[in-house]
Amino acid sequence: MRRLGDTLKAGSTLAKDLMATPAVTVRPDTSLAQAARLMAERHIKRLLVVDPAGTLQGIVSRTDLLKVFLRPDGELADEIRREVVGRLFPLAQHRVRVDVHHGVVTLSGGILDASLIPVAARLARAVEGVVDVNCALTTSAAQTAGA
């Protein structure tokens, strides 16, 4: 019974009989997160992207959205080194190691300020494409004493 609508559509010969109405659309400036949420809520696989006049500009698919999150590990590591480690620990970048395997980031090494450990984990987790973060950053009395 759940697939009755699909069975009825199978005998169609016109596009209008197969299309979903009304068409679900987004504007070009819609965020990817908003587009993904809309697709999930409406159970649709594609979104039409239209300009303010309603002219079709393109189509966003589920695959397009997934590509954003399927970034190469090396690219993720480079961005985290630059945007997280470089900004939080500018004088101690050499002591922080960033490893990425299948999108899972491991931050390790010694830093001076323990309060920055959760900040580093949170910022790394916010990088698009990161699946998870293992934060193994530590502080030690020896490092603090040498500071």
mmCIF file of all heavy atoms in Angstrom, residues 47-73:
data_model
loop_
_atom_site.group_PDB
_atom_site.id
_atom_site.type_symbol
_atom_site.label_atom_id
_atom_site.label_comp_id
_atom_site.label_asym_id
_atom_site.label_seq_id
_atom_site.Cartn_x
_atom_site.Cartn_y
_atom_site.Cartn_z
ATOM 1 N N LEU A 47 16.928 19.688 -4.911
ATOM 2 C CA LEU A 47 16.316 21.002 -4.716
ATOM 3 C C LEU A 47 16.602 21.868 -5.928
ATOM 4 O O LEU A 47 17.732 21.907 -6.412
ATOM 5 C CB LEU A 47 16.922 21.712 -3.502
ATOM 6 C CG LEU A 47 16.438 21.338 -2.130
ATOM 7 C CD1 LEU A 47 17.280 22.053 -1.073
ATOM 8 C CD2 LEU A 47 14.982 21.689 -1.953
ATOM 9 N N LEU A 48 15.595 22.562 -6.391
ATOM 10 C CA LEU A 48 15.795 23.517 -7.473
ATOM 11 C C LEU A 48 16.295 24.824 -6.866
ATOM 12 O O LEU A 48 15.760 25.295 -5.861
ATOM 13 C CB LEU A 48 14.483 23.764 -8.210
ATOM 14 C CG LEU A 48 13.816 22.525 -8.812
ATOM 15 C CD1 LEU A 48 12.471 22.899 -9.433
ATOM 16 C CD2 LEU A 48 14.723 21.876 -9.828
ATOM 17 N N VAL A 49 17.307 25.398 -7.484
ATOM 18 C CA VAL A 49 17.859 26.675 -7.028
ATOM 19 C C VAL A 49 17.372 27.731 -8.003
ATOM 20 O O VAL A 49 17.655 27.663 -9.203
ATOM 21 C CB VAL A 49 19.397 26.644 -6.985
ATOM 22 C CG1 VAL A 49 19.946 27.976 -6.489
ATOM 23 C CG2 VAL A 49 19.883 25.493 -6.108
ATOM 24 N N VAL A 50 16.596 28.696 -7.481
ATOM 25 C CA VAL A 50 16.028 29.736 -8.340
ATOM 26 C C VAL A 50 16.429 31.113 -7.838
ATOM 27 O O VAL A 50 16.644 31.320 -6.651
ATOM 28 C CB VAL A 50 14.480 29.630 -8.413
ATOM 29 C CG1 VAL A 50 14.054 28.312 -9.040
ATOM 30 C CG2 VAL A 50 13.853 29.791 -7.040
ATOM 31 N N ASP A 51 16.547 32.060 -8.772
ATOM 32 C CA ASP A 51 16.866 33.435 -8.386
ATOM 33 C C ASP A 51 15.584 34.121 -7.927
ATOM 34 O O ASP A 51 14.499 33.529 -7.975
ATOM 35 C CB ASP A 51 17.562 34.180 -9.531
ATOM 36 C CG ASP A 51 16.677 34.367 -10.754
ATOM 37 O OD1 ASP A 51 15.437 34.225 -10.658
ATOM 38 O OD2 ASP A 51 17.236 34.665 -11.830
ATOM 39 N N PRO A 52 15.670 35.365 -7.450
ATOM 40 C CA PRO A 52 14.472 36.060 -6.945
ATOM 41 C C PRO A 52 13.332 36.164 -7.960
ATOM 42 O O PRO A 52 12.166 36.238 -7.585
ATOM 43 C CB PRO A 52 14.996 37.446 -6.563
ATOM 44 C CG PRO A 52 16.433 37.205 -6.206
ATOM 45 C CD PRO A 52 16.884 36.147 -7.186
ATOM 46 N N ALA A 53 13.652 36.106 -9.255
ATOM 47 C CA ALA A 53 12.605 36.172 -10.290
ATOM 48 C C ALA A 53 11.995 34.802 -10.553
ATOM 49 O O ALA A 53 11.049 34.677 -11.329
ATOM 50 C CB ALA A 53 13.189 36.739 -11.582
ATOM 51 N N GLY A 54 12.537 33.755 -9.900
ATOM 52 C CA GLY A 54 12.015 32.410 -10.096
ATOM 53 C C GLY A 54 12.665 31.661 -11.243
ATOM 54 O O GLY A 54 12.234 30.569 -11.595
ATOM 55 N N THR A 55 13.732 32.217 -11.810
ATOM 56 C CA THR A 55 14.432 31.566 -12.913
ATOM 57 C C THR A 55 15.355 30.484 -12.367
ATOM 58 O O THR A 55 16.131 30.728 -11.435
ATOM 59 C CB THR A 55 15.266 32.591 -13.711
ATOM 60 O OG1 THR A 55 14.395 33.631 -14.152
ATOM 61 C CG2 THR A 55 15.944 31.941 -14.907
ATOM 62 N N LEU A 56 15.276 29.306 -12.957
ATOM 63 C CA LEU A 56 16.106 28.191 -12.523
ATOM 64 C C LEU A 56 17.583 28.514 -12.717
ATOM 65 O O LEU A 56 18.015 28.879 -13.804
ATOM 66 C CB LEU A 56 15.741 26.925 -13.302
ATOM 67 C CG LEU A 56 16.518 25.658 -12.936
ATOM 68 C CD1 LEU A 56 16.211 25.236 -11.503
ATOM 69 C CD2 LEU A 56 16.173 24.542 -13.905
ATOM 70 N N GLN A 57 18.360 28.378 -11.636
ATOM 71 C CA GLN A 57 19.804 28.613 -11.684
ATOM 72 C C GLN A 57 20.588 27.302 -11.643
ATOM 73 O O GLN A 57 21.720 27.243 -12.087
ATOM 74 C CB GLN A 57 20.238 29.490 -10.506
ATOM 75 C CG GLN A 57 19.583 30.849 -10.496
ATOM 76 C CD GLN A 57 20.010 31.684 -11.692
ATOM 77 O OE1 GLN A 57 21.180 31.882 -11.929
ATOM 78 N NE2 GLN A 57 19.041 32.153 -12.449
ATOM 79 N N GLY A 58 19.972 26.267 -11.086
ATOM 80 C CA GLY A 58 20.646 24.981 -10.979
ATOM 81 C C GLY A 58 19.883 24.046 -10.064
ATOM 82 O O GLY A 58 18.763 24.349 -9.625
ATOM 83 N N ILE A 59 20.492 22.919 -9.785
ATOM 84 C CA ILE A 59 19.883 21.889 -8.941
ATOM 85 C C ILE A 59 20.927 21.427 -7.932
ATOM 86 O O ILE A 59 22.086 21.206 -8.288
ATOM 87 C CB ILE A 59 19.399 20.700 -9.787
ATOM 88 C CG1 ILE A 59 18.326 21.160 -10.778
ATOM 89 C CG2 ILE A 59 18.860 19.580 -8.897
ATOM 90 C CD1 ILE A 59 17.925 20.110 -11.780
ATOM 91 N N VAL A 60 20.511 21.275 -6.672
ATOM 92 C CA VAL A 60 21.373 20.733 -5.627
ATOM 93 C C VAL A 60 20.842 19.346 -5.294
ATOM 94 O O VAL A 60 19.649 19.186 -5.024
ATOM 95 C CB VAL A 60 21.360 21.617 -4.356
ATOM 96 C CG1 VAL A 60 22.149 20.964 -3.237
ATOM 97 C CG2 VAL A 60 21.905 22.995 -4.653
ATOM 98 N N SER A 61 21.734 18.353 -5.309
ATOM 99 C CA SER A 61 21.326 16.991 -4.983
ATOM 100 C C SER A 61 21.923 16.567 -3.645
ATOM 101 O O SER A 61 22.811 17.233 -3.109
ATOM 102 C CB SER A 61 21.802 16.025 -6.077
ATOM 103 O OG SER A 61 23.215 15.920 -6.048
ATOM 104 N N ARG A 62 21.451 15.439 -3.134
ATOM 105 C CA ARG A 62 22.024 14.903 -1.902
ATOM 106 C C ARG A 62 23.521 14.662 -2.075
ATOM 107 O O ARG A 62 24.314 14.910 -1.183
ATOM 108 C CB ARG A 62 21.349 13.575 -1.536
ATOM 109 C CG ARG A 62 19.954 13.704 -1.022
ATOM 110 C CD ARG A 62 19.447 12.342 -0.644
ATOM 111 N NE ARG A 62 18.020 12.346 -0.397
ATOM 112 C CZ ARG A 62 17.321 11.270 -0.132
ATOM 113 N NH1 ARG A 62 17.898 10.100 -0.091
ATOM 114 N NH2 ARG A 62 16.025 11.356 0.086
ATOM 115 N N THR A 63 23.896 14.148 -3.242
ATOM 116 C CA THR A 63 25.303 13.878 -3.521
ATOM 117 C C THR A 63 26.129 15.153 -3.450
ATOM 118 O O THR A 63 27.242 15.157 -2.906
ATOM 119 C CB THR A 63 25.456 13.222 -4.908
ATOM 120 O OG1 THR A 63 24.673 12.030 -4.923
ATOM 121 C CG2 THR A 63 26.893 12.889 -5.212
ATOM 122 N N ASP A 64 25.587 16.257 -3.978
ATOM 123 C CA ASP A 64 26.295 17.536 -3.919
ATOM 124 C C ASP A 64 26.559 17.927 -2.470
ATOM 125 O O ASP A 64 27.650 18.403 -2.130
ATOM 126 C CB ASP A 64 25.482 18.644 -4.591
ATOM 127 C CG ASP A 64 25.300 18.430 -6.083
ATOM 128 O OD1 ASP A 64 26.195 17.840 -6.719
ATOM 129 O OD2 ASP A 64 24.252 18.866 -6.597
ATOM 130 N N LEU A 65 25.559 17.739 -1.616
ATOM 131 C CA LEU A 65 25.718 18.103 -0.210
ATOM 132 C C LEU A 65 26.729 17.204 0.483
ATOM 133 O O LEU A 65 27.519 17.675 1.303
ATOM 134 C CB LEU A 65 24.367 18.037 0.510
ATOM 135 C CG LEU A 65 23.334 19.069 0.068
ATOM 136 C CD1 LEU A 65 22.000 18.801 0.727
ATOM 137 C CD2 LEU A 65 23.812 20.467 0.374
ATOM 138 N N LEU A 66 26.732 15.930 0.158
ATOM 139 C CA LEU A 66 27.674 15.006 0.785
ATOM 140 C C LEU A 66 29.111 15.315 0.402
ATOM 141 O O LEU A 66 30.029 15.135 1.206
ATOM 142 C CB LEU A 66 27.344 13.564 0.401
ATOM 143 C CG LEU A 66 26.149 12.955 1.118
ATOM 144 C CD1 LEU A 66 25.840 11.583 0.544
ATOM 145 C CD2 LEU A 66 26.401 12.858 2.612
ATOM 146 N N LYS A 67 29.330 15.790 -0.815
ATOM 147 C CA LYS A 67 30.683 16.092 -1.275
ATOM 148 C C LYS A 67 31.374 17.118 -0.385
ATOM 149 O O LYS A 67 32.587 17.082 -0.199
ATOM 150 C CB LYS A 67 30.663 16.592 -2.718
ATOM 151 C CG LYS A 67 30.436 15.499 -3.721
ATOM 152 C CD LYS A 67 30.393 16.071 -5.119
ATOM 153 C CE LYS A 67 30.027 15.006 -6.123
ATOM 154 N NZ LYS A 67 29.878 15.566 -7.467
ATOM 155 N N VAL A 68 30.591 18.029 0.178
ATOM 156 C CA VAL A 68 31.153 19.047 1.068
ATOM 157 C C VAL A 68 31.792 18.393 2.279
ATOM 158 O O VAL A 68 32.828 18.820 2.778
ATOM 159 C CB VAL A 68 30.060 20.040 1.527
ATOM 160 C CG1 VAL A 68 30.565 20.952 2.619
ATOM 161 C CG2 VAL A 68 29.550 20.832 0.356
ATOM 162 N N PHE A 69 31.166 17.311 2.741
ATOM 163 C CA PHE A 69 31.636 16.666 3.954
ATOM 164 C C PHE A 69 32.635 15.544 3.685
ATOM 165 O O PHE A 69 33.233 15.026 4.610
ATOM 166 C CB PHE A 69 30.447 16.139 4.748
ATOM 167 C CG PHE A 69 29.546 17.249 5.187
ATOM 168 C CD1 PHE A 69 28.360 17.496 4.527
ATOM 169 C CD2 PHE A 69 29.905 18.077 6.229
ATOM 170 C CE1 PHE A 69 27.546 18.542 4.904
ATOM 171 C CE2 PHE A 69 29.099 19.125 6.613
ATOM 172 C CZ PHE A 69 27.918 19.362 5.960
ATOM 173 N N LEU A 70 32.835 15.188 2.428
ATOM 174 C CA LEU A 70 33.769 14.133 2.091
ATOM 175 C C LEU A 70 35.070 14.731 1.565
ATOM 176 O O LEU A 70 35.499 14.472 0.457
ATOM 177 C CB LEU A 70 33.145 13.187 1.052
ATOM 178 C CG LEU A 70 31.904 12.449 1.527
ATOM 179 C CD1 LEU A 70 31.324 11.606 0.408
ATOM 180 C CD2 LEU A 70 32.211 11.577 2.730
ATOM 181 N N ARG A 71 35.685 15.549 2.374
ATOM 182 C CA ARG A 71 36.928 16.194 1.992
ATOM 183 C C ARG A 71 38.100 15.268 2.281
ATOM 184 O O ARG A 71 38.073 14.501 3.239
ATOM 185 C CB ARG A 71 37.086 17.492 2.774
ATOM 186 C CG ARG A 71 36.017 18.517 2.415
ATOM 187 C CD ARG A 71 36.072 19.734 3.288
ATOM 188 N NE ARG A 71 37.365 20.403 3.201
ATOM 189 C CZ ARG A 71 37.744 21.336 4.067
ATOM 190 N NH1 ARG A 71 36.955 21.711 5.053
ATOM 191 N NH2 ARG A 71 38.923 21.917 3.937
ATOM 192 N N PRO A 72 39.147 15.350 1.471
ATOM 193 C CA PRO A 72 40.333 14.518 1.711
ATOM 194 C C PRO A 72 40.958 14.817 3.072
ATOM 195 O O PRO A 72 40.964 15.961 3.541
ATOM 196 C CB PRO A 72 41.291 14.920 0.585
ATOM 197 C CG PRO A 72 40.430 15.554 -0.461
ATOM 198 C CD PRO A 72 39.276 16.174 0.267
ATOM 199 N N ASP A 73 41.502 13.767 3.691
ATOM 200 C CA ASP A 73 42.107 13.906 5.010
ATOM 201 C C ASP A 73 43.215 14.965 5.035
ATOM 202 O O ASP A 73 43.310 15.748 5.977
ATOM 203 C CB ASP A 73 42.670 12.559 5.482
ATOM 204 C CG ASP A 73 41.579 11.551 5.830
ATOM 205 O OD1 ASP A 73 40.420 11.966 6.019
ATOM 206 O OD2 ASP A 73 41.902 10.353 5.915
#
